[in-house]
Amino acid sequence: MAPYCVLAARLRHALNSGVRRYHVAPVLCQRAKVAMSHFEPNEYINYEKLEKNINIVRKRLDRPLTLSEKIVYGHLDDPAKQEIERGKTYLRLRPDRVAMQDATAQMAMLQFISSGLPKVAVPSTIHCDHLIEAQSGGEKDLQRAKEINQEVYNFLSTAGAKYGVGFWKPGSGIIHQIILENYSYPGVMLIGTDSHTPNGGGLGGICIGVGGADAVDVMAGIPWELKCPKVIGVKLTGKLSGWTSPKDVILKVAGILTVKGGTGAIIEYHGPGVDSISCTGMATICNMGAEIGATTSIFPYNERMKKYLGKTGRADIAALADEFKQHLVPDSGCQYDQVIEINLSELKPHINGPFTPDLAHPVSDIGAVAEKEGWPIDIRVGLIGSCTNSSYEDMGRSAAVAKQALAHGLKCKSKFTITPGSEQIRATIERDGYAKVLREVGGLVLANACGPCIGQWDRKDIKKGEKNTIVTSYNRNFTGRNDANPETHAFVTSPEIVTALSIAGTLKFNPETDYLTGADGKKFKLEAPDADELPKLEFDPGQDTYQYPPKDGSGQHVDVSPTSQRLQLLEPFDKWDGKDLEDMLILIKVKGKCTTDHISAAGPWLKFRGHLDNISNNLLIGAINIENGKANSVRNALTQEFGPVPDTARYYKKMGIKWAVVGDENYGEGSSREHAALEPRHLGGRVIITKSFARIHETNLKKQGLLPLTFADPADYNKIHPVDKLSIVGLKDFAPGKPLKCIIKHPNGSQETIMLNHTFNESQIEWFQAGSALNRMKELQQKSS
């Protein structure tokens, strides 16, 4: 059989090199070589190694394994000797591939260039989806983005060509949809420089969001470290039906676990209810697992995944997965650290928000709750799409709702936008008429990009500071995230509910029970939408938007102008001087929620993601200073004047003074953006002390040579005042599991000592001592050579 597989791979590669991508009839490869993707015909799935590692670990642990344990432990660098204890030990892993979106890829590639390595060690891709601003519609917005971001796109394109990284051009689609369509598969371990990378769990993969420095480790061929995750089981019973959608599963789970309830854990869905959810529906659920702090989320391999693989031209992968299925589902009798049970037959449509994705409400209640809380009832804009909900099924269910309104002479009362998840989805919904229906009901089809979901929205219908409500099918609704207006009350729900509410124009409408009035004056009720999960015909691939890396990129030149305002080559951070950190000033003591949006804002700042000094001008400008209750206003301890946070940090740096940040619970939740760690390091910060950290941000801080520390007693947060000085002592004896002392010096001359915990292991302590993980990598390279 092997020659047939090789022939199929060659044929697929030849076809994919043309103007359009075509599907090749599946070939029975059965344990022969099957490519991980159409775009890398010589990179093969290695289920045999996965199987071997799983068997070694199962014998050692002598117990049944969860699915997530199988895939994670199946990628161990040394399964025979690796210490394994959920929630405690650090695992050294060998992921299969890396994916980067354009906003984070800039810094990731700049760090990889700084490493001095000639080529990536694992298949890697760059996806241009974050830098396209929603303004007037798909084609115009895309063309405008290409002109504005030409320098950045050229850098990413040439860096990809030089270092062996595949490049998805602007207009290709959102990274997570592209991954689902082309790169995720059952049993894969993929890391991506975006917090919603877990989307790939909808195809049975362990897909984890990380910062760029973590991606560099994997691209450099270095074992990647991850604290051994706990496993939270979500048992699904019953069956989805009516207005209830996969989105409602994760909205319900978010309400149960809150934004930090999944921290340090993988959410593993199982049970008989799983089979009532489509593959893309499972991806939606996994995608939004990022909102509860989970390391990732995953579903077991089943027929719905097999069907999706076949429809996306990967029936050969499905056939291989069938052979190894026992390793792609949980063992009978496996134990979870926590179990949640949800009966899908009883689950009602949900809408979460405003200002946080874990504030859950049944749609039937939201109108009354909004009136009670004083939230605006009228909906100004409804927005569907995003990496969470832009599948063919999502668009079909929304179109089914829109058709009913049109049949009664109605259009949307609210403004309405549609974001296709990929060029393939865009082309297919255009061909099958969904896009036409959504336009006719009043919708504007935006570019295949993130757009308003990540703040790339040139919104004109309101003024900043105007109180208003929007409903979206997105994943995240932090204050100001979508449009930079702190008074926008953003609610998250399913695409079909967004469509129904946009037609009604009010939060008080419940499509399950309420009636609309048609153009003829007659009342009617919307029927629950029904749509195909996959197109009856093959997907239309649309325009070819992929750039293959050349076999030899050594002659490729990568442009970074020394006068550029958007790109800047990196200088190594300073090495630890071997001393305790004494008499640090407090830049800011943060009050309440502080996400990565607060620490390093997106929106207009995205254009500086490749220029560390310029983007550092947004450091902590959204965080609330406990001293005065204001954002971007802190006291300069030397001049006693209040000013912007970045300016104050730069002043301390100029004066050679180290500083610290004191934070609240779940500090750094949200995006994977490592700029939230790079910026404080660049401007002279050394320590971040909080009650607790979000996983990705804590790791990013460690990677850049900062000290993320937590109060041994959370009540000690109240002992530190913004005018105090802090000293961290015991760094000469810095060791895993050993707390550090913090001496608080008050202005009146008094002192008190508190204890601080940390989660550093031995190699991470070396990152701190070397100044950053990248510095440490270069030290090891020099020693080995």
Side-chain angles (χ1 to χ4, degrees):
M1 286 293 177
Y4 292 97
C5 293
V6 173
L7 176 63
R10 288 174 179 169
L11 176 59
R12 190 177 294 115
H13 176 69
L15 291 172
N16 288 334
S17 300
V19 178
R20 293 161 67 85
R21 299 195 301 278
Y22 294 89
H23 300 309
V24 180
V27 180
L28 262 192
C29 291
Q30 294 184 5
R31 300 221 173 198
K33 292 182 176 180
V34 174
M36 284 199 286
S37 83
H38 300 325
F39 302 99
E40 295 131 359
N42 298 315
E43 299 287 348
Y44 304 108
I45 295 173
N46 194 346
Y47 281 147
E48 287 86 354
K49 182 179 179 181
L50 185 78
E51 181 177 57
K52 179 181 177 182
N53 287 2
I54 290 171
N55 289 338
I56 291 172
V57 173
R58 183 185 284 111
K59 185 176 181 180
R60 286 182 55 202
L61 299 181
D62 191 28
R63 62 172 173 80
L65 301 177
T66 68
L67 169 60
S68 47
E69 286 184 306
K70 288 182 179 182
I71 301 176
V72 171
Y73 304 160
H75 286 82
L76 286 170
D77 183 52
D78 187 356
K81 297 179 182 178
Q82 171 71 59
E83 187 179 355
I84 300 170
E85 186 175 356
R86 287 185 193 170
K88 293 189 177 181
T89 57
Y90 276 87
L91 308 178
R92 290 165 60 85
L93 300 163
R94 293 284 184 177
D96 298 302
R97 61 182 310 119
V98 171
M100 300 166 279
Q101 41 96 334
D102 51 357
T104 51
Q106 294 171 64
M107 196 56 68
M109 292 308 296
L110 285 165
Q111 290 177 88
F112 188 82
I113 291 169
S114 180
S115 75
L117 296 168
K119 190 174 182 179
V120 296
V122 300
S124 304
T125 51
I126 293 169
H127 304 259
C128 295
D129 63 358
H130 271 56
L131 300 179
I132 302 170
E133 185 180 50
Q135 191 178 71
S136 55
E139 291 185 11
K140 290 182 180 179
D141 293 346
L142 177 58
Q143 184 56 41
R144 181 168 169 265
K146 288 179 178 178
E147 294 168 1
I148 292 173
N149 303 308
Q150 182 181 8
E151 179 186 16
V152 171
Y153 291 148
N154 179 62
F155 166 71
L156 293 174
S157 172
T158 54
K162 184 172 182 66
Y163 297 104
V165 179
F167 180 69
W168 288 86
K169 302 171 187 176
S172 301
I174 304 172
I175 176 173
H176 311 303
Q177 183 68 27
I178 297 291
I179 288 172
L180 200 70
E181 292 173 355
N182 299 281
Y183 297 116
S184 185
Y185 61 82
V188 70
M189 174 172 275
L190 178 152
I191 71 163
T193 59
D194 190 279
S195 56
H196 293 102
T197 301
N199 193 83
L203 258 178
I206 289 289
C207 302
I208 301 176
V210 299
D214 274 1
V216 172
D217 277 357
V218 181
M219 292 191 291
I222 296 172
W224 173 61
E225 290 191 350
L226 175 74
K227 181 178 277 190
C228 187
K230 294 184 178 181
V231 187
I232 298 174
V234 178
K235 183 179 181 180
L236 302 179
T237 60
K239 183 179 181 181
L240 285 178
S241 63
W243 284 92
T244 307
S245 73
K247 186 67 164 277
D248 298 307
V249 177
I250 186 58
L251 294 178
K252 178 70 174 178
V253 171
I256 295 169
L257 288 177
T258 77
V259 290
K260 62 177 183 177
T263 302
I266 293 176
I267 311 298
E268 184 171 313
Y269 294 86
H270 62 284
V274 166
D275 291 335
S276 74
I277 305 173
S278 67
C279 177
T280 52
M282 291 187 256
T284 291
I285 294 167
C286 291
N287 178 293
M288 246 192 97
E291 311 325 317
I292 53 178
T295 301
T296 192
S297 300
I298 191 170
F299 278 83
Y301 177 58
N302 66 2
E303 288 296 315
R304 305 299 279 267
M305 294 182 191
K306 182 176 181 179
K307 187 176 180 181
Y308 183 81
L309 285 167
K311 205 66 172 181
T312 52
R314 295 175 287 170
D316 51 352
I317 294 178
L320 193 64
D322 282 343
E323 290 189 54
F324 288 86
K325 186 173 181 179
Q326 73 271 26
H327 303 304
L328 306 174
V329 296
D331 286 342
S332 176
C334 66
Q335 296 296 307
Y336 298 100
D337 294 283
Q338 179 182 350
V339 176
I340 297 167
E341 186 165 336
I342 296 175
N343 185 337
L344 301 180
S345 299
E346 298 175 354
L347 183 64
K348 289 293 185 179
H350 272 62
I351 182 167
N352 287 22
F355 306 126
T356 184
D358 60 347
L359 186 57
H361 321 272
V363 171
S364 57
D365 296 347
I366 189 63
V369 173
E371 284 188 324
K372 179 183 177 183
E373 297 292 337
W375 302 332
I377 298 295
D378 292 340
I379 297 168
R380 297 295 290 268
V381 190
L383 306 99
I384 66 169
S386 83
C387 64
T388 319
N389 278 111
S390 55
S391 69
Y392 185 82
E393 181 182 35
D394 289 326
M395 296 298 170
R397 285 173 68 87
S398 292
V401 175
K403 279 182 183 179
Q404 296 179 60
L406 290 169
H408 289 85
L410 295 186
K411 291 191 175 184
C412 291
K413 287 186 179 179
S414 311
K415 291 182 180 293
F416 185 51
T417 69
I418 302 98
T419 303
S422 67
E423 171 61 9
Q424 178 167 275
I425 292 296
R426 183 208 62 79
T428 306
I429 66 171
E430 289 285 1
R431 181 197 69 192
D432 293 354
Y434 290 168
K436 181 175 183 289
V437 170
L438 294 170
R439 286 192 187 96
E440 287 177 350
V441 85
L444 174 66
V445 179
L446 301 174
N448 314 321
C450 299
C453 186
I454 48 94
Q456 284 284 55
W457 187 13
D458 184 20
R459 190 177 180 190
K460 302 291 190 184
D461 64 302
I462 59 159
K463 294 179 181 178
K464 191 168 183 177
E466 182 180 344
K467 200 172 180 181
N468 74 103
T469 283
I470 65 173
V471 292
T472 81
S473 70
Y474 302 164
N475 44 42
R476 199 163 274 169
N477 58 346
F478 301 138
T479 303
R481 177 175 175 85
N482 302 124
D483 60 3
N485 179 14
E487 289 301 325
T488 293
H489 293 56
F491 294 86
V492 176
T493 186
S494 68
E496 52 266 48
I497 294 292
V498 172
T499 307
L501 293 178
S502 299
I503 292 165
T506 174
L507 286 177
K508 295 183 73 174
F509 179 69
N510 177 9
E512 287 192 303
T513 58
D514 296 344
Y515 286 79
L516 295 168
T517 302
D520 59 2
K522 295 180 180 179
K523 292 187 177 295
F524 72 98
K525 196 170 82 166
L526 293 170
E527 297 296 326
D530 186 31
D532 294 331
E533 64 181 281
L534 295 165
K536 289 183 172 63
L537 302 174
E538 296 301 307
F539 276 109
D540 184 338
Q543 299 180 44
D544 179 33
T545 53
Y546 180 72
Q547 172 186 294
Y548 286 89
K551 289 183 179 179
D552 182 4
S554 59
Q556 181 72 49
H557 181 67
V558 180
D559 289 325
V560 179
S561 168
T563 59
S564 172
Q565 293 301 301
R566 296 198 61 177
L567 296 167
Q568 181 186 46
L569 292 174
L570 296 174
E571 295 291 331
F573 289 130
D574 59 300
K575 191 172 182 177
W576 177 55
D577 62 8
K579 301 177 182 178
D580 288 337
L581 297 168
E582 297 182 343
D583 293 333
M584 291 180 292
L585 298 178
I586 297 171
L587 178 66
I588 183 173
K589 181 179 179 182
V590 178
K591 179 183 178 182
K593 185 185 282 284
C594 189
T595 71
T596 47
D597 280 358
H598 295 88
I599 304 168
S600 175
W605 292 95
L606 284 170
K607 60 179 174 285
F608 297 127
R609 284 285 182 88
H611 197 294
L612 180 54
D613 194 56
N614 281 347
I615 199 169
S616 293
N617 288 322
N618 77 0
L619 174 65
L620 285 158
I621 61 175
I624 301 301
N625 179 11
I626 200 169
E627 186 175 6
N628 57 12
K630 296 181 180 179
N632 203 25
S633 175
V634 295
R635 182 194 300 272
N636 184 316
L638 303 182
T639 67
Q640 296 303 309
E641 296 177 354
F642 281 85
V645 182
D647 293 358
T648 307
R650 287 185 186 277
Y651 186 87
Y652 292 162
K653 181 179 180 181
K654 180 182 177 181
M655 302 301 290
I657 298 171
K658 297 179 177 67
W659 51 262
V661 169
V662 178
D664 212 320
E665 293 277 8
N666 206 32
Y667 184 89
E669 71 173 276
S671 172
S672 69
R673 70 191 67 155
E674 65 180 341
H675 299 76
L678 283 158
E679 292 173 35
R681 184 73 164 94
H682 175 64
L683 295 186
R686 297 316 302 251
V687 179
I688 314 291
I689 306 171
T690 72
K691 293 179 183 177
S692 62
F693 286 98
R695 175 191 65 85
I696 299 176
H697 186 59
E698 182 179 19
T699 300
N700 287 345
L701 291 168
K702 292 177 183 178
K703 287 277 185 178
Q704 303 308 333
L706 284 135
L707 280 176
L709 305 172
T710 57
F711 296 103
D713 180 356
D716 287 344
Y717 169 87
N718 298 316
K719 293 181 179 179
I720 299 178
H721 305 288
V723 292
D724 294 337
K725 291 183 179 180
L726 304 178
S727 295
I728 306 298
V729 296
L731 290 175
K732 291 181 181 179
D733 300 317
F734 194 14
K738 186 176 182 180
L740 293 168
K741 289 183 181 179
C742 175
I743 299 174
I744 307 169
K745 297 181 181 179
H746 302 300
N748 63 7
S750 65
Q751 295 185 10
E752 55 186 315
T753 300
I754 62 174
M755 301 304 295
L756 301 174
N757 293 331
H758 65 84
T759 60
F760 282 79
N761 62 16
E762 290 180 0
S763 62
Q764 292 169 351
I765 290 172
E766 291 176 355
W767 300 345
F768 167 73
Q769 293 170 339
S772 72
L774 185 59
N775 288 359
R776 182 57 179 157
M777 180 197 298
K778 292 162 83 170
E779 286 179 359
L780 294 173
Q781 287 174 355
Q782 290 169 358
K783 287 181 180 179
S784 64
S785 62

